[in-house]
Amino acid sequence: QVQLVESGGGLVQAGGSLRLSCAASGSRFSFNVMGWYRQAPGKQRELVASITSRDTTNYVDSVKGRFTIARDNAKNTVYLQMNSLKPDDTGVYYCNVATQFSTYWGQGTQVTVSP
């Protein structure tokens, strides 16, 4: 069974930093794309950042220059380094990984940024 375990969420003041981690396991197929989505209260879930097996990255405009996504293929882990956090970054962050056959979701981790 494929499992994703997220960690690193929490409560920080505006301008602070958090580092999210997502460890994936249990797949016989490689994770071609790994990424992070977030969902703020009353809003649609949006793709925050993604990274391919070739380290091609993509970010939503609102986090460019502040967030960095990275992956450690030896550990099947994807990270999201979040700097200069803003209250608008508040939400539940979900790890998402995709093989050539399936996509998988983490349980979500709460990120709250206070003004």
Side-chain angles (χ1 to χ4, degrees):
Q1 70 289 342
V2 173
Q3 288 190 310
L4 277 61
V5 179
E6 300 181 28
S7 62
L11 173 64
V12 297
Q13 296 184 58
S17 297
L18 286 172
R19 184 174 184 256
L20 306 183
S21 299
C22 175
S25 63
S27 178
R28 68 168 62 247
F29 306 105
S30 61
F31 297 111
N32 298 324
V33 183
M34 309 180 83
W36 293 92
Y37 288 73
R38 69 185 179 190
Q39 188 164 24
K43 296 184 178 180
Q44 297 290 315
R45 188 174 299 186
E46 68 173 348
L47 177 64
V48 178
S50 64
I51 184 168
T52 72
S53 59
R54 296 182 178 179
D55 285 338
T56 299
T57 59
N58 181 67
Y59 300 92
V60 67
D61 285 345
S62 60
V63 309
K64 289 180 179 177
R66 300 187 297 119
F67 291 11
T68 303
I69 189 170
R71 62 189 286 169
D72 184 337
N73 292 328
K75 297 180 179 179
N76 280 331
T77 299
V78 61
Y79 307 93
L80 187 67
Q81 178 66 47
M82 304 185 294
N83 298 325
S84 301
L85 283 161
K86 304 174 180 179
D88 284 348
D89 295 319
T90 293
V92 179
Y93 284 67
Y94 297 91
C95 179
N96 176 264
V97 303
T99 68
Q100 62 177 318
F101 297 115
S102 302
T103 61
Y104 305 93
W105 292 93
Q107 80 279 8
T109 184
Q110 177 69 43
V111 171
T112 303
V113 184
S114 64

